[in-house]
Amino acid sequence: MQHSRNRDLDGVRGLAILLVVAAHSGLPVRWGGLSGVTLFFVLSGYLITSLLLREWARWGSISLWRFWGRRALRLLPALVLLLALAPVVLWATGDDRLSTYPTAALASLFYVGNWVRISGTDLGVLNHLWSLSVEEQFYVVWPALFIGLMTWWRSRALAVVLSLAALATFYSVWTVGAAIRLDISTETNAFALLLGVGLAFALAEVCARGWELPAANPVVPFVVMVAVSAFPSHGIEVDHPLFRPLGAVYAVLGVWLVYAAVSGHSKVVGSRVMVFFGTVSYALYLWHQTFINSLLLGEHSTPRNLVLIAAAVVVSWLSWVLVERPVGRLRGRLRLDQPSHRQQEFVDRQAAAARPRAAPTA
């Protein structure tokens, strides 16, 4: 069950990247960028919160430095590789955006690219990394908030989280402002992350109470997500007012899909193809849009974009095999999966309290 569940979640991640790639290629999945990124956010909120809940249950606290260290090992290697090689692509193609590349690279490396873009600075071939900035800001802030929530409002944590998710969704749908802020700011995208957080808390509560929820087949929300992502569009000027309401729809579908992947199994969602794309999804997200937005192979067209996406798949697989996976093994050497001294003391106290006391001697 655990193996299938993990494969299906990888398949969900694979669907998210395929929706994004299809939209950027020019294929008739015009809403795939919005639905795919929203699905990524929901999945990230669920997975990170599930990890935090398990760590809290096992060790009685959260080691922030170990958490951030694991995130850095997962995210930085592929990003640094991209930032190191992207200027080579710009130089080789005579792209005049090379002169402004240092600013774009620093904004992306420090995960503030979305706010730099909102301030009016174009990041060129790194414009798409705004969503990575949103996720990393979540990784920095949410664990600290989680500690406070579990320390002072643990009994009401689910209600607090669901209320925040509802408020954030309402805000995202109804707030007004500049188009770029509505699209890529942290606060207008927080709702999808919070819905994933709410799902993690809800399933943990169900498990703690010993309830059993019905299993769901992931293929149903999988197909629905694809179908709604292919909803007809008419261009940015006409469609933009639909972005925030549709984002909420995609987030709800994402919650359904993630829950189904956790509780059930599908040979489609958990297939080798979907799991492969889920495995390389991070690097593929980094590279495919960098290639598409470059001057490689001339003018933009769907055939040209598909060729560059195929190249990005190869580069992403190499990134996973040669960089991401080897660096990820450093978690053991750096003891990032081991408890902190405080956490070990908590376990020792629990073990001591559980030992039966010796009977008094006569």
Side-chain angles (χ1 to χ4, degrees), residues 148-167:
L149 184 63
M150 297 297 284
T151 301
W152 293 297
W153 295 292
R154 187 174 182 180
S155 62
R156 301 177 182 176
L158 177 59
V160 170
V161 167
L162 292 179
S163 298
L164 288 175
L167 288 173

Side-chain angles (χ1 to χ4, degrees), residues 228-244:
V228 180
S229 298
F231 187 77
S233 59
H234 305 87
I236 191 68
E237 293 296 330
V238 175
D239 293 337
H240 195 269
L242 296 175
F243 273 36
R244 303 326 305 164

Side-chain angles (χ1 to χ4, degrees), residues 112-308:
V112 292
N114 62 324
W115 292 110
V116 172
R117 284 188 60 192
I118 290 170
S119 71
T121 300
D122 185 83
L123 301 185
V125 294
L126 303 181
N127 269 334
H128 62 296
L129 299 188
W130 70 267
S131 61
L132 183 59
S133 295
V134 171
E135 285 213 25
E136 190 64 21
Q137 291 158 24
F138 169 74
Y139 296 152
V140 170
V141 174
W142 171 236
L145 294 178
F146 176 90
I147 292 172
L149 184 63
M150 297 297 284
T151 301
W152 293 297
W153 295 292
R154 187 174 182 180
S155 62
R156 301 177 182 176
L158 177 59
V160 170
V161 167
L162 292 179
S163 298
L164 288 175
L167 288 173
T169 303
F170 181 86
Y171 174 83
S172 177
V173 172
W174 293 105
T175 190
V176 296
I180 191 169
R181 188 188 70 81
L182 295 178
D183 292 345
I184 68 174
S185 69
T186 307
E187 79 274 12
T188 56
N189 287 282
F191 76 98
L193 290 157
L194 287 171
L195 285 172
V197 169
L199 177 62
F201 269 97
L203 292 182
E205 182 73 15
V206 166
C207 182
R209 293 177 179 270
W211 296 342
E212 289 190 12
L213 292 176
N217 191 333
V219 78
V220 179
F222 181 96
V223 171
V224 172
M225 180 69 84
V226 173
V228 180
S229 298
F231 187 77
S233 59
H234 305 87
I236 191 68
E237 293 296 330
V238 175
D239 293 337
H240 195 269
L242 296 175
F243 273 36
R244 303 326 305 164
L246 269 180
V249 172
Y250 291 135
V252 172
L253 289 177
V255 170
W256 179 18
L257 179 54
V258 172
Y259 164 73
V262 170
S263 65
H265 174 57
S266 163
K267 292 182 179 179
V268 174
V269 182
S271 66
R272 290 184 178 181
V273 172
M274 297 306 300
V275 170
F276 169 78
F277 280 105
T279 301
V280 302
S281 60
Y282 175 51
L284 183 54
Y285 186 82
L286 297 179
W287 281 101
H288 86 279
Q289 191 73 330
T290 299
F291 281 171
I292 289 175
N293 285 340
S294 72
L295 300 181
L296 289 168
L297 304 184
E299 296 295 325
H300 284 233
S301 67
T302 299
R304 173 254 189 195
N305 292 345
L306 290 174
V307 170
L308 291 178

